[in-house]
Amino acid sequence: MPAKRSPARRPTMKDIAQRAGVSESAVSFALNDRPGVSEITRDRVRRVAEQLGWRPSTAARQLSGEGTATVGLVLARPADTLGVDSFFLQLISGIQEVLAERHLGLLFQVVEDVDDECAVYRRWWAEHRVDGVLVVDPRTDDARPDLLDELGLPAVVIGGAPDARHPGLSTVWADDAGAMASVVGRLYELGHRRIVHIAGLPGLAHTERRIRTLRAEAERRGLAEVCSVTTDYSDAEGAAVTRRVLEGGVLGGGSPPTALVYDNDVMAVAGVAAATELGFSVPGDVSVVAWEDSALCRMVKPWLSALSRDTVAFGRTAAVELTSLLDGGPARAVGVPVPGLIERDSTGPCGPCGA
Amino acid sequence: MPAKRSPARRPTMKDIAQRAGVSESAVSFALNDRPGVSEITRDRVRRVAEQLGWRPSTAARQLSGEGTATVGLVLARPADTLGVDSFFLQLISGIQEVLAERHLGLLFQVVEDVDDECAVYRRWWAEHRVDGVLVVDPRTDDARPDLLDELGLPAVVIGGAPDARHPGLSTVWADDAGAMASVVGRLYELGHRRIVHIAGLPGLAHTERRIRTLRAEAERRGLAEVCSVTTDYSDAEGAAVTRRVLEGGVLGGGSPPTALVYDNDVMAVAGVAAATELGFSVPGDVSVVAWEDSALCRMVKPWLSALSRDTVAFGRTAAVELTSLLDGGPARAVGVPVPGLIERDSTGPCGPCGA
DNA sequence: GCTGTGCACTAAAGCGCTTGAGTCAGGTCA
DNA sequence: TGACCTGACTCAAGCGCTTTAGTGCACAGC
């Protein structure tokens, strides 16, 4: 027989009942603030429970109809796209702040694509693993809301637009459209007329929203030479697209734009490097704005102007919505503050441009 | 009554039993590959289960003595330190690859410090939430191994040194000492005699190991002007320390070093920026090595020479060890390949230095 | 014919908790 | 005095599984 050190035993309600001299039910009532026991007994039970270091077994609790006290989050991005992006860890740490308070666990999974993600939801649901989920990276044509509806799994969509077709889902959304409009406005003010938007993954709801807004704003202002190019968010594509754009291969007329808006910080940094290599000075020849602020933006020269928002708070808000949903609250759509443009050194007036 | 769409019902073993015309026990035997049913019955049961989309309820399963099919990972780092570091997401995605295969869930939590981390372990244990845990950022004076021993929670320590005092814990470790020795060796070869190591958090086991090794190597080679400075891994401290070091405030004699070794990529990048600002050219005046390779290292000029390892594989290895532990395998200490130095443009021969 | 053996399968207990249906003492009211 | 509450508890069932101890049957050996 292996001399395995016998681990401590977990106390159960039965232990408490015995010690306190009452029935298990009484213990249950006492510990769950249900009527049916006197205050005196309740106190005694609570004390014993504390003293024994008792915590309810989530499994047992769940089996008798309560929830699992766990929410799920799945990230559908290939491992390498995940790398440098600081967004998710920040988001998650915001989420955790709220969940930890309520002793809710976070079940986390990384998968390759949305189909796998759906499979995970099904499995979690069938295995009774989670009470609800947080959905990130909503898409324009997204199978997930329908699925979650079908499964009856409470969910909040992070970064989606409010969606009338799924009244059961909460949404926490940032006003990308507003932010994009303000960026374009500011660039216009600085004299820029030729703008390229190096966007993120096509199909992502916020990517499409930004692209639409850019187009709308351009039309409104009568700018013909404005466009978006989608990428995979990687530094490699950021650099490649930047080269293509600056060599005149994208905008009409064969000449380069005077302002570039990148959908994340990683691409912006890579883009600036690429631009510099091609002999473009930033912001002399071309202005650069990064969507998403982070330490990265202050690690390169020139420091990048960036759209900054409080990602941790974003996560917190999402978690709060989910807990409220779990408490039986109504599904809602709540907005978070519009990202603000922090102007550092990578943006400037359009000099001898527009020629 | 609210017109709530009734969600799909989860099928249970009872449903399968009925449909297949056998008892629940038979179903259990069939589905768990236990003897006691004929192959014919087993097949029939399996087919029915599949057709019904049945998955075992983790709660029920656990309540009857099986595990929870969940492992835990807690990250004890303040939210802001978490930011730019690509290490953890990579590690986690490696871990996931292995866990997903076995349908193990990953319970994830971010906390402030190790005390909180211990509290989480206790809670998880008491609530029966996890079958085992992955421990990261081992420290020189670490309370966690003792605690996990006491709780009898299977665990693998990621990045620790093999630890004879805790025979129950597995360890997955990288040979930092070897890597540091090789870096010092290479720098020595290039003519560098004055080296400063901008280390990570003090108290972290691998930080201390690297510092010790650096000192040992310096002594062995008779280098007097070599030292380590600890930081919090942030770009801010990386830059600040770099300035202090280059202004001669750290090494004896008041003159700057000719080579800098940074414990992560973020600090290395920030450091190069700081050095450039002070008028030092890289690698002309000072060579720079980053410990941990990532896209970041190729986003700045000059491209950074870096110690590279396969972090995703690191995570995979750790997860494999944990699953083997859960299967009743023995605790082991397994090494992963020593990080290799990729020489890019930030390292070069020590020119007119050593004067 | 009887016991023995092996096999395929069923019955039922039990895991730790919640909960609806009792039970029982003490008080109220007619 | 007896019917009737009410508050404080206890009982026991049940959640969905696993598992131990059967049960019933076919076949073998004496």
Side-chain angles (χ1 to χ4, degrees):
Chain A
M1 192 185 300
K4 214 165 201 174
R5 174 120 83 89
S6 98
R9 202 178 70 81
R10 299 155 166 96
T12 72
M13 285 199 356
K14 198 189 281 180
D15 299 323
I16 301 179
Q18 255 170 20
R19 289 248 225 171
V22 291
S23 72
E24 273 186 71
S25 328
V27 173
S28 177
F29 292 146
L31 261 17
N32 291 310
D33 291 319
R34 276 199 163 56
V37 286
S38 62
E39 274 312 309
I40 305 186
T41 309
R42 196 185 295 278
D43 270 14
R44 185 155 35 95
V45 168
R46 274 210 269 252
R47 243 193 325 275
V48 174
E50 172 124 3
Q51 180 188 325
L52 255 42
W54 178 86
R55 293 246 75 212
S57 149
T58 45
R61 186 161 242 170
Q62 183 205 322
L63 212 44
S64 21
E66 306 292 285
T68 46
T70 306
V71 305
L73 172 63
V74 5
L75 225 51
R77 292 223 183 162
D80 45 326
T81 312
L82 217 68
V84 195
D85 216 322
S86 63
F87 178 79
F88 283 114
L89 272 179
Q90 303 240 39
L91 188 75
I92 289 174
S93 79
I95 290 171
Q96 292 274 3
E97 275 178 41
V98 175
L99 296 186
E101 237 167 58
R102 312 228 332 190
H103 292 236
L104 290 171
L106 179 69
L107 202 58
F108 182 59
Q109 181 140 7
V110 183
V111 297
E112 280 290 310
D113 54 41
V114 176
D115 285 346
D116 286 1
E117 183 175 342
C118 287
V120 170
Y121 291 144
R122 279 188 191 283
R123 196 152 52 69
W124 279 354
W125 169 82
E127 293 178 353
H128 298 231
R129 270 180 182 282
V130 298
D131 295 339
V133 298
L134 294 158
V135 178
V136 295
D137 284 344
R139 322 224 156 203
T140 43
D141 191 18
D142 205 325
R144 292 171 291 175
D146 284 333
L147 174 61
L148 294 168
D149 244 28
E150 176 196 334
L151 299 179
L153 215 45
V156 1
V157 178
I158 298 179
D163 175 1
R165 283 172 318 144
H166 296 98
L169 303 186
S170 278
T171 301
V172 176
W173 64 293
D175 182 9
D176 295 282
M180 178 57 102
S182 84
V183 168
V184 173
R186 178 61 183 140
L187 290 173
Y188 187 90
E189 226 173 81
L190 287 167
H192 297 278
R193 298 292 180 268
R194 306 166 58 79
I195 303 172
V196 172
H197 169 212
I198 287 94
L201 283 172
L204 250 37
H206 67 261
T207 302
E208 303 296 341
R209 242 174 314 158
R210 293 175 193 177
I211 293 178
R212 264 203 316 277
T213 309
L214 176 64
R215 192 156 38 217
E217 283 296 307
E219 267 171 38
R220 201 166 67 77
R221 295 191 143 91
L223 308 179
E225 315 224 274
V226 163
C227 82
S228 298
V229 186
T230 58
T231 67
D232 65 358
Y233 281 125
S234 70
D235 59 307
E237 280 210 19
V241 169
T242 302
R243 273 189 290 272
R244 220 170 67 228
V245 167
L246 291 181
E247 281 162 352
V250 171
L251 240 37
S255 51
T258 66
L260 297 170
V261 179
Y262 291 88
D263 258 9
N264 74 6
D265 45 0
V266 173
M267 290 196 297
V269 170
V272 168
T276 310
E277 249 169 67
L278 288 179
F280 285 78
S281 92
V282 177
D285 300 319
V286 59
S287 285
V288 166
V289 175
W291 200 305
E292 224 49 84
D293 194 12
S294 80
L296 247 186
C297 295
R298 276 159 293 128
M299 263 185 237
V300 292
K301 285 283 159 181
W303 284 10
L304 300 188
S305 300
L307 276 164
S308 166
R309 61 172 157 187
D310 188 343
T311 307
V312 176
F314 198 26
R316 265 192 304 254
T317 306
V320 167
E321 277 319 296
L322 185 53
T323 56
S324 121
L325 225 43
L326 295 183
D327 290 343
R332 305 191 304 168
V334 336
V336 298
V338 185
L341 179 63
I342 298 187
E343 299 198 50
R344 299 206 179 90
D345 312 331
S346 67
T347 41
C350 180
C353 66
Chain B
M1 192 185 299
K4 214 166 200 174
R5 174 119 84 86
S6 97
R9 204 179 67 82
R10 298 155 168 95
T12 73
M13 284 197 359
K14 198 190 280 179
D15 300 322
I16 301 180
Q18 257 170 17
R19 289 247 223 170
V22 290
S23 71
E24 272 188 71
S25 329
V27 174
S28 176
F29 293 145
L31 260 17
N32 291 309
D33 290 320
R34 280 202 160 53
V37 287
S38 62
E39 273 313 309
I40 305 186
T41 310
R42 196 184 295 279
D43 270 13
R44 185 155 33 95
V45 168
R46 273 209 269 253
R47 242 191 328 273
V48 174
E50 172 123 2
Q51 179 188 326
L52 255 41
W54 177 87
R55 292 246 73 211
S57 149
T58 46
R61 186 159 242 172
Q62 183 205 325
L63 212 45
S64 25
E66 306 290 285
T68 47
T70 306
V71 304
L73 172 63
V74 5
L75 226 50
R77 293 223 182 160
D80 44 326
T81 312
L82 218 68
V84 194
D85 216 322
S86 64
F87 179 78
F88 283 114
L89 272 180
Q90 303 241 37
L91 188 75
I92 289 174
S93 79
I95 290 170
Q96 293 272 4
E97 275 179 40
V98 175
L99 296 186
E101 236 168 59
R102 313 230 329 189
H103 291 241
L104 290 170
L106 179 70
L107 202 58
F108 182 59
Q109 181 140 7
V110 182
V111 298
E112 280 290 311
D113 55 41
V114 176
D115 285 346
D116 285 1
E117 183 175 341
C118 287
V120 170
Y121 291 145
R122 280 188 190 283
R123 196 152 52 69
W124 278 354
W125 170 81
E127 293 178 352
H128 298 231
R129 270 181 181 281
V130 298
D131 294 339
V133 298
L134 294 158
V135 179
V136 294
D137 283 345
R139 321 223 156 204
T140 44
D141 191 18
D142 205 325
R144 291 171 292 176
D146 284 333
L147 174 62
L148 294 169
D149 244 29
E150 178 197 332
L151 300 179
L153 213 47
V156 359
V157 179
I158 298 180
D163 174 0
R165 283 172 317 146
H166 296 99
L169 302 188
S170 278
T171 301
V172 176
W173 65 293
D175 182 9
D176 296 281
M180 178 56 102
S182 84
V183 168
V184 173
R186 178 61 183 140
L187 290 173
Y188 188 90
E189 226 174 82
L190 287 168
H192 297 278
R193 298 292 179 269
R194 307 165 59 77
I195 302 171
V196 173
H197 169 214
I198 287 92
L201 282 172
L204 251 36
H206 66 261
T207 302
E208 303 297 340
R209 242 174 313 157
R210 293 176 194 177
I211 293 178
R212 266 203 314 278
T213 309
L214 176 64
R215 192 154 41 217
E217 283 296 306
E219 266 172 36
R220 201 166 68 75
R221 295 192 144 90
L223 308 180
E225 314 224 276
V226 163
C227 81
S228 299
V229 185
T230 59
T231 67
D232 66 357
Y233 281 123
S234 70
D235 59 308
E237 280 209 20
V241 170
T242 302
R243 273 190 290 271
R244 221 169 66 228
V245 167
L246 291 180
E247 280 162 351
V250 171
L251 240 39
S255 53
T258 66
L260 297 171
V261 179
Y262 290 88
D263 258 8
N264 75 4
D265 45 0
V266 173
M267 292 197 296
V269 170
V272 169
T276 310
E277 249 168 69
L278 288 179
F280 286 79
S281 91
V282 177
D285 301 318
V286 59
S287 283
V288 167
V289 175
W291 199 304
E292 225 47 86
D293 193 11
S294 81
L296 247 187
C297 296
R298 278 159 293 127
M299 262 184 238
V300 292
K301 284 284 157 174
W303 283 12
L304 300 188
S305 300
L307 276 163
S308 167
R309 62 172 155 185
D310 188 343
T311 307
V312 176
F314 199 25
R316 263 192 304 253
T317 306
V320 167
E321 277 318 297
L322 185 53
T323 56
S324 123
L325 226 43
L326 295 183
D327 290 343
R332 306 192 303 169
V334 336
V336 297
V338 185
L341 180 62
I342 298 187
E343 299 197 51
R344 300 206 180 89
D345 312 329
S346 67
T347 42
C350 181
C353 67

